[in-house]
Amino acid sequence: MASLCRWSSVYLSSTIHWQSLRPPLARCCRGLPHGRQMSLSSRVKGAFKTPESEVLDKITSVPFYELSNPPLPIQLNWLFLFLDAVFTGAGVALAWRYWTYKVPGDEEGAPPKSELRPANQRLALACLHIGIGSVVALRLINVRRSYVRKLWLFPGSVPANYRRATVLPSLDTTVVENYSLFNPRVEFTLERNAYRFTGHKQDAMLRLTPPGGREDGFVLLTEGVQIDGKPVSRDEALREILNPFQQSKTKAHSKKKKRSTISTAAS
């Protein structure tokens, strides 16, 4: 009995010691509140989530621009990624296992036979396939970021419910939500002349040029969109998108004038 108690105490102390040596991530990922396990997708998504994106998730106001349904390039994006992976894998397998060349036969007059090329040549061709497939995959992933799903405008001259920090009146803030897999919301706080809304066929383009930075661009479709929470036609959507800050300023001025009229009538 004494030996059993001694062995149990040794086992308990070793277990506690092992638990204390485990890294914090292993201890916290073992279980979540209410016995809910953290999925692999949640861990991967959390690795790319920044404190800024957590703040951006708290926006509750109605977006200025909202696309109802994903466009066709976004709907077919996963299919193209899958086909790219299939063709890349097939190219690597063919290059490594079946890329041969003709060599003379062992005996005089024997027909030539096929042998695998040297490993360095096959490896070079396999790396070429991997490089091309990676470039195509990165291009397809970047397409998801270029299409705007929602757009919030917070002009510096108009009070807003959302501000990540105190912004100078001369600066305007825009929050762009796209279809990116890693960081679907990005925020820009720039001067008015850094934003350029231009027409592109029947749709619109948003181009941003940060001071000393590289130009960034987004596509705003005009079919099946909502402006300020209301469905509009393509022509009306394009007209609103091409001059959005002026529209926001006019709407804010009309609301302010309406409130002053109501207060005057009440007094």
Side-chain angles (χ1 to χ4, degrees):
M1 187 68 179
S3 61
L4 180 61
C5 294
R6 185 170 62 255
W7 278 108
S8 61
S9 62
V10 171
Y11 174 76
L12 181 61
S13 60
S14 62
T15 303
I16 296 174
H17 178 67
W18 180 79
Q19 290 284 350
S20 63
L21 292 179
R22 294 179 66 195
L25 181 61
R27 291 199 298 268
C28 69
C29 290
R30 187 173 180 83
L32 294 175
H34 309 292
R36 188 176 155 197
Q37 295 291 329
M38 181 182 290
S39 62
L40 179 61
S41 61
S42 300
R43 296 182 188 180
V44 174
K45 199 172 184 179
F48 292 95
K49 203 169 184 64
T50 61
E52 178 181 350
S53 62
E54 293 177 359
V55 175
L56 295 178
D57 289 342
K58 298 179 180 178
I59 303 177
T60 57
S61 59
V62 177
F64 163 74
Y65 169 93
E66 182 175 2
L67 185 62
S68 302
N69 298 314
L72 190 60
I74 302 300
Q75 295 178 10
L76 299 178
N77 190 262
W78 285 110
L79 176 61
F80 291 148
L81 285 171
F82 173 75
L83 293 177
D84 176 60
V86 169
F87 285 119
T88 301
V92 171
L94 290 174
W96 184 254
R97 300 182 61 181
Y98 300 103
W99 194 26
T100 60
Y101 69 107
K102 300 291 185 179
V103 295
D106 297 334
E107 300 178 357
E108 186 177 356
K113 60 180 181 179
S114 299
E115 287 187 0
L116 286 174
R117 288 183 174 271
N120 58 347
Q121 296 182 11
R122 291 180 286 140
L123 182 61
L125 185 58
C127 291
L128 178 63
H129 282 289
I130 294 174
I132 295 175
S134 301
V135 171
V136 174
L138 290 176
R139 176 59 182 167
L140 291 173
I141 292 174
N142 190 50
V143 167
R144 300 185 64 89
R145 184 185 181 273
S146 62
Y147 283 90
V148 177
R149 182 183 178 188
K150 294 181 182 179
L151 175 67
W152 286 268
L153 300 176
F154 302 109
S157 59
V158 178
N161 297 327
Y162 165 76
R163 290 288 186 191
R164 187 162 61 95
T166 303
V167 182
L168 296 176
S170 59
L171 300 180
D172 303 312
T173 300
T174 62
V175 179
V176 179
E177 179 178 316
N178 49 54
Y179 294 91
S180 174
L181 299 174
F182 306 118
N183 195 13
R185 283 190 182 181
V186 289
E187 175 189 341
F188 301 92
T189 301
L190 305 169
E191 295 182 355
R192 181 68 57 84
N193 57 9
Y195 301 98
R196 288 189 295 124
F197 291 86
T198 58
H200 178 69
K201 297 181 180 179
Q202 289 184 312
D203 299 316
M205 292 283 297
L206 167 59
R207 299 190 183 277
L208 308 102
T209 309
R214 189 177 63 179
E215 184 183 66
D216 204 348
F218 298 93
V219 179
L220 293 95
L221 301 179
T222 56
E223 186 176 4
V225 303
Q226 297 181 9
I227 300 296
D228 292 327
K230 299 178 181 179
V232 295
S233 62
R234 296 194 72 171
D235 295 337
E236 186 177 356
L238 185 61
R239 184 171 60 254
E240 294 275 349
I241 291 171
L242 291 181
N243 197 5
F245 289 107
Q246 184 64 31
Q247 300 290 344
S248 301
K249 185 176 180 180
T250 304
K251 292 173 184 177
H253 180 71
S254 62
K255 289 181 180 179
K256 184 177 179 181
K257 185 177 180 181
K258 185 178 180 179
R259 283 197 299 267
S260 62
T261 304
I262 293 174
S263 60
T264 305
S267 61

